[in-house]
Amino acid sequence: MTPAAATIRIVAAVIDDGRGNVLVVRKHGATAFMQPGGKPEPGETPLQTLARELREELGVQLLADSAIALGQFSEWAVNEPGQRVQADVWWVRVEGVPLAQAEIAELIWIPLHPPHGVCLAALSEGHILPAARTLFATR
């Protein structure tokens, strides 16, 4: 019997530019782009985690009243072989101009609808962006 894969819990954000593009980031040493976000610290709520991660990684302020839950999604982790990632995902608005900081090597705006033009993590491409497209189609 194969042991169950370890699960990494994260919180991730979908941030759009109001023109049909969403922000994705690439960490140092990684090839795939993904939604910004990260792992919660003990005692943090998902939105507290997201606010901290967006501040640390992008230098922006989360506008908490804007947050809309997109769902919880699971997929194989792109940067941790043999592990799964489980993400609570929120569509949010931010204040400020995102800049790559901390472990973020690069950030880009990609079209919400494919083709995206870059290598995306399976979680983003197969789960998060389709959920965001569904949300935006109803707005």
Side-chain angles (χ1 to χ4, degrees):
M1 182 175 243
T2 310
T7 299
I8 302 165
R9 296 191 184 279
I10 64 166
V11 181
V14 174
I15 302 168
D16 76 282
D17 67 358
R19 296 182 305 249
N21 300 303
V22 293
L23 185 68
V24 291
V25 300
R26 184 180 60 78
K27 295 182 178 184
H28 290 284
T31 56
F33 283 84
M34 62 190 67
Q35 281 15 87
K39 299 171 188 163
E41 291 183 354
E44 281 185 329
T45 67
L47 287 178
Q48 287 171 333
T49 298
L50 207 49
R52 177 182 50 77
E53 290 285 347
L54 295 176
R55 185 176 57 255
E56 291 172 0
E57 295 180 351
L58 303 175
V60 295
Q61 178 71 35
L62 170 70
L63 300 175
D65 291 347
S66 72
I68 298 172
L70 286 177
Q72 188 177 80
F73 307 101
S74 182
E75 184 59 77
W76 290 104
V78 68
N79 294 322
E80 292 87 359
Q83 297 186 34
R84 292 191 65 82
V85 63
Q86 184 175 39
D88 288 315
V89 183
W90 301 80
W91 175 81
V92 300
R93 294 244 182 247
V94 296
E95 188 172 79
V97 177
L99 300 170
Q101 302 178 161
E103 72 250 26
I104 303 303
E106 183 179 7
L107 60 82
I108 59 171
W109 295 93
I110 63 167
L112 177 59
H113 295 275
H116 303 294
V118 296
C119 175
L120 290 174
L123 184 67
S124 291
E125 188 167 24
H127 303 281
I128 296 174
L129 294 181
R133 287 193 293 272
T134 299
L135 173 69
F136 293 137
T138 63
R139 296 184 135 270

